[in-house]
Amino acid sequence: MEKSRILYAEDDQTIAFLIQDSLENYYEIEHCSDGKSAFEAFNTKNFDICLLDIMMPEMNGFDLAQKIRDKNAEIPIIFTSAKALKEDRIKGLKIGADDYLVKPFSIEELILKIEIFLKRSKKTETFPQKYKVGKYDFDPKNYTLNDTQNTITLTQRESDLLLYFIRHKNTVLKRQDILKAIWGDDDYFMGRSLDVFISRLRKVFADENTVAIENIHGIGFRFSEKQ
């Protein structure tokens, strides 16, 4: 079986060696020691997932992730950084990253995260072609919302969350159930991530008065559509 290909950007050579040595039995790793060379690699080769440090020479991880997102809204991005501040995590998610691991982390945890996103990428192949959401045609396979004039491209996480809401339309959903279904966990940080992605979806539908994502106090959320 062909191995999944990972773009790994990390300037600390010791950490990079340990991570690459641990992962290369399972994946094909392309390691770059700065953001500029990582983006050049992304532009010239095909990858299934990106692992990005933040503090790197030439181009930092935030800028690199933004450039990658501008070119590809689908590929999963995981930050692997020593920057543990909540503001840094939120910034990474707002850029469009799918997850954020704070160093030091275990190789087992990293592999688990990688496998979750690789499996989700493959699952999109079995999704129905389109769902009608307000004025938009939602295409989960290509992560797009289309109307007669515009195309909005979602991240994989946004698409997964919207699809989950659609499949449980007009139902009160507990926060922990959403987190376990989409993130695989329900800890505090994942809860903050959920709030960020719901805020982003609300902005997408801000001008669509038939679609609503309601806060249900003390419980979770309800996605509803008016006919």
Side-chain angles (χ1 to χ4, degrees):
M1 176 184 288
E2 184 178 354
K3 292 182 179 179
S4 297
R5 304 191 72 240
I6 296 176
L7 174 61
Y8 178 40
E10 169 64 68
D11 67 319
D12 187 309
Q13 296 301 314
T14 300
I15 293 176
F17 174 79
L18 293 172
I19 296 295
Q20 187 169 357
D21 185 61
S22 300
L23 295 182
E24 61 186 3
N25 288 331
Y26 310 99
Y27 314 104
E28 185 176 341
I29 312 294
E30 175 88 12
H31 170 244
C32 299
S33 57
D34 64 80
K36 183 179 178 181
S37 62
F39 189 58
E40 290 173 353
F42 182 81
N43 281 326
T44 56
K45 301 177 183 179
N46 294 319
F47 296 98
D48 299 296
I49 193 168
C50 300
L51 305 180
L52 310 180
D53 186 29
I54 293 175
M55 302 301 291
M56 295 186 293
E58 302 293 337
M59 183 190 304
N60 67 54
F62 287 140
D63 291 342
L64 173 58
Q66 185 65 68
K67 286 181 174 292
I68 289 173
R69 251 316 151 245
D70 289 343
K71 294 183 71 69
N72 188 325
E74 303 175 10
I75 189 167
I77 297 174
I78 301 175
F79 279 118
T80 58
S81 175
K83 293 173 73 65
L85 292 177
K86 178 178 69 176
E87 291 78 8
D88 293 317
R89 296 184 179 193
I90 298 302
K91 181 177 180 179
L93 292 170
K94 285 183 175 179
I95 288 171
D98 296 278
D99 216 326
Y100 192 116
L101 286 177
V102 177
K103 300 173 184 174
F105 50 80
S106 69
I107 294 298
E108 291 79 8
E109 182 182 12
L110 177 58
I111 291 175
L112 176 61
K113 297 288 187 182
I114 291 171
E115 286 299 306
I116 285 172
F117 289 115
L118 290 177
K119 287 177 182 178
R120 285 180 184 165
S121 295
K122 293 173 183 176
K123 282 181 182 179
T124 60
E125 298 174 1
T126 63
F127 288 163
Q129 272 197 323
K130 291 181 180 179
Y131 292 88
K132 192 70 176 177
V133 189
K135 66 180 180 181
Y136 295 105
D137 289 321
F138 172 44
D139 183 347
K141 183 175 181 181
N142 294 303
Y143 311 136
T144 57
L145 287 165
N146 299 281
D147 63 14
T148 55
Q149 296 180 326
N150 301 300
T151 296
I152 298 172
T153 302
L154 305 174
T155 66
Q156 180 179 344
R157 187 76 85 181
E158 289 168 339
S159 183
D160 288 348
L161 182 56
L162 179 56
L163 183 62
Y164 186 81
F165 277 144
I166 291 170
R167 289 178 169 175
H168 299 83
K169 184 167 56 176
N170 301 320
T171 301
V172 175
L173 300 171
K174 294 181 180 179
R175 289 180 65 91
Q176 59 265 36
D177 291 341
I178 300 172
L179 289 166
K180 288 179 180 179
I182 307 299
W183 276 265
D185 202 347
D186 64 348
D187 66 13
Y188 171 79
F189 172 60
M190 297 305 177
R192 294 289 295 150
S193 302
L194 172 61
D195 292 334
V196 169
F197 282 94
I198 285 179
S199 176
R200 286 160 59 173
L201 286 178
R202 282 176 171 153
K203 289 180 181 179
V204 169
F205 294 107
D207 297 327
E208 180 57 71
N209 58 19
T210 65
V211 178
I213 303 174
E214 305 170 67
N215 284 336
I216 307 301
H217 182 69
I219 301 175
F221 303 92
R222 177 169 53 210
F223 178 84
S224 60
E225 284 187 89
K226 297 177 183 177
Q227 300 299 324

